[in-house]
Amino acid sequence: MSPTAPPPATTTVRRGPVPGARRYPAERVPGGRPPVGERARTALRYAGPALLGHLAVRLLGVIVLARWTHLRHHGLWPVLAKSWDSNWYLGIAAHGYELTPPGTEEPSNLAFFPLYPVLVKAVAAVTPGSRASVALVLAVVFSLVAAGGVFAVGDRLHGRRTATVLTVLWAALPVGVVQWMGYTESLFTALTAWALYCALTGRWVWAGSLAALAGLTRPTGVAIAAAVSLTALAALVRARRLAWRPVLGGLLAPLGWCSYVAWVGLRVGRWDGYFAVQKLWANEWDGGAGTLREMRDLLVYANRPPLFLVVVTLVLLVSGALYVLSLADRQPLVLLVFTGALLLVVLGSGGVYFPRARFLLPGFPLLLPVALALSRARRTVTALVLGAAAVSSAWLGAYMLMVWPGPP
């Protein structure tokens, strides 16, 4: 699956509307289907500016971080490959899941979903590199796959220019450095972006399969599962007839998330086992009371609030505002359900506050109103905004890893 450029000398064909979508551009379909290699090259040329922009932003972030680690007498590779949650995933890849003895208060690695460590273990078994190196390489590769998916969604809705701006904006998020760390955000965003694209284009079985894999990657996989399932149901209602592809896609979507949660329940020996494990990590859903309390303490009562927590708070507030704009813009249903469910899970959590901006990293459709506005602005304005975003992302990423004392 990859974005395809409109080839020359073709016939224009318009597809029917996808449920919840505002508009869809015409697609050009050639008379004969070209070979796979040619289609891949065409797609890469078409998405090339967006992918190069993504690479440039992330390379700038690595350069700034490398300089910062050198000044602090640290190594760049350990910071990216073996920090915080990365070690938990590497531990699962090496030793599997370990059940915390009943009655103890020690956090369990059952809180971490299995797809990423399984991939790390599988690839490391057939390559000479260490598991940490493999994990880092996979994160970088999946970030490029994710960038392609972000571009494909943007191009489907608003054309190539907006899609390119959207891809660069996603790379330049304040916590964008996590895309090239041994974390699951790149893999999850890749699966989510292409699941959304498949839902937008009516490829329901692909959408459901990718959503199921996303559900095996992160707890927030429940958001993409809900988005694909509900949109498939809406498609059936609109069609007023039973079609097997939307039914199968809608049934597949939640299988990954539900299967892992059920497996943890069996492993722990109680139906709510996964949520009991999360409770040991101080993660519970409280409807947003904890989030509002943290915001009040930071913005009202704190004399000198930590910079990183202020950035996290601003990301949460801006994300909420962007969701309102997305509603007003009448984005396609699948995007609104996904970002709405993602915000509901992240903002409604009463657990640790500092990783909330990272948890929202896969919510790239929230950036669509900004990308659309920038694509309509003068090129100078667009370049200045994207450049400022890239520089700030590079500095904040280095600050987050080298100054902030906790996990990103």
Side-chain angles (χ1 to χ4, degrees), residues 374-389:
L374 288 176
S375 68
R376 293 170 177 172
R378 296 191 179 193
R379 291 183 181 273
T380 304
V381 173
T382 303
L384 287 174
V385 172
L386 293 181

Side-chain angles (χ1 to χ4, degrees), residues 20-22 158 318-341 343 365-370 372:
R22 182 179 60 181
H158 298 294
V318 171
S319 297
L322 288 175
Y323 186 70
V324 174
L325 290 178
S326 301
L327 288 170
D329 200 37
R330 295 193 300 174
Q331 284 185 9
L333 178 63
V334 69
L335 302 187
L336 292 176
V337 174
F338 168 65
T339 51
L343 284 169
L366 293 170
L367 298 171
L368 272 171
V370 181
L372 190 58

Side-chain angles (χ1 to χ4, degrees), residues 29-79:
V29 181
R33 192 172 181 85
V36 174
E38 182 180 338
R39 280 184 283 146
R41 288 192 295 271
T42 302
L44 284 175
R45 282 196 299 269
Y46 187 63
L51 298 179
L52 288 175
H54 172 270
L55 272 174
V57 172
R58 294 283 23 102
L59 285 173
L60 175 63
V62 169
I63 291 170
V64 173
L65 178 61
R67 179 59 179 166
W68 210 318
T69 55
H70 176 72
L71 294 174
R72 293 293 185 97
H73 304 289
H74 290 283
L76 177 63
W77 180 87
V79 170

Side-chain angles (χ1 to χ4, degrees), residues 161-382:
R161 180 174 170 81
T162 302
T164 301
V165 174
L166 177 66
T167 307
V168 176
L169 280 175
W170 178 70
L173 287 172
V175 293
V177 66
V178 177
Q179 296 172 19
W180 283 14
M181 292 179 65
Y183 275 59
T184 58
E185 271 68 25
S186 290
L187 172 59
F188 183 73
T189 307
L191 294 169
T192 295
W194 285 109
L196 292 172
Y197 177 77
C198 289
L200 288 172
T201 54
R203 296 172 172 88
W204 295 111
V205 178
W206 272 109
S209 301
L210 291 169
L213 291 174
L216 288 170
T217 307
R218 289 198 57 78
T220 45
V222 68
I224 185 62
V228 171
S229 295
L230 289 176
T231 310
L233 177 61
L236 287 172
V237 172
R238 281 175 171 265
R240 296 184 179 179
R241 63 183 179 86
L242 189 62
W244 69 269
R245 285 184 176 86
V247 171
L248 181 57
L251 292 175
L252 284 172
L255 279 185
W257 190 87
C258 291
S259 296
Y260 183 69
V261 169
W263 180 80
V264 173
L266 292 173
R267 185 79 182 266
V268 174
R270 49 188 290 185
W271 70 271
D272 63 343
Y274 178 76
F275 304 101
V277 168
Q278 284 284 10
K279 189 174 181 179
L280 294 176
W281 285 85
N283 285 327
E284 291 184 275
W285 199 84
D286 65 358
T291 301
L292 292 175
R293 186 165 53 249
E294 291 280 358
M295 288 183 176
R296 179 198 62 191
D297 293 343
L298 281 169
L299 301 180
V300 178
Y301 297 124
N303 292 326
R304 298 183 64 184
L307 174 61
F308 179 63
L309 296 184
V310 172
V311 171
V312 170
T313 303
L314 291 176
V315 168
L316 298 182
L317 293 173
V318 171
S319 297
L322 288 175
Y323 186 70
V324 174
L325 290 178
S326 301
L327 288 170
D329 200 37
R330 295 193 300 174
Q331 284 185 9
L333 178 63
V334 69
L335 302 187
L336 292 176
V337 174
F338 168 65
T339 51
L342 184 65
L343 284 169
L344 188 65
V345 172
V346 174
L347 297 179
S349 172
V352 288
Y353 186 75
F354 48 81
R356 306 293 181 90
R358 174 168 63 86
F359 293 165
L360 287 177
L361 189 68
F364 69 90
L366 293 170
L367 298 171
L368 272 171
V370 181
L372 190 58
L374 288 176
S375 68
R376 293 170 177 172
R378 296 191 179 193
R379 291 183 181 273
T380 304
V381 173
T382 303

Side-chain angles (χ1 to χ4, degrees), residues 107-130:
S108 168
N109 62 4
L110 290 169
F112 296 89
F113 278 55
L115 184 58
Y116 183 58
V118 165
L119 290 175
V120 170
K121 182 177 182 178
V123 175
V126 296
T127 56
S130 66

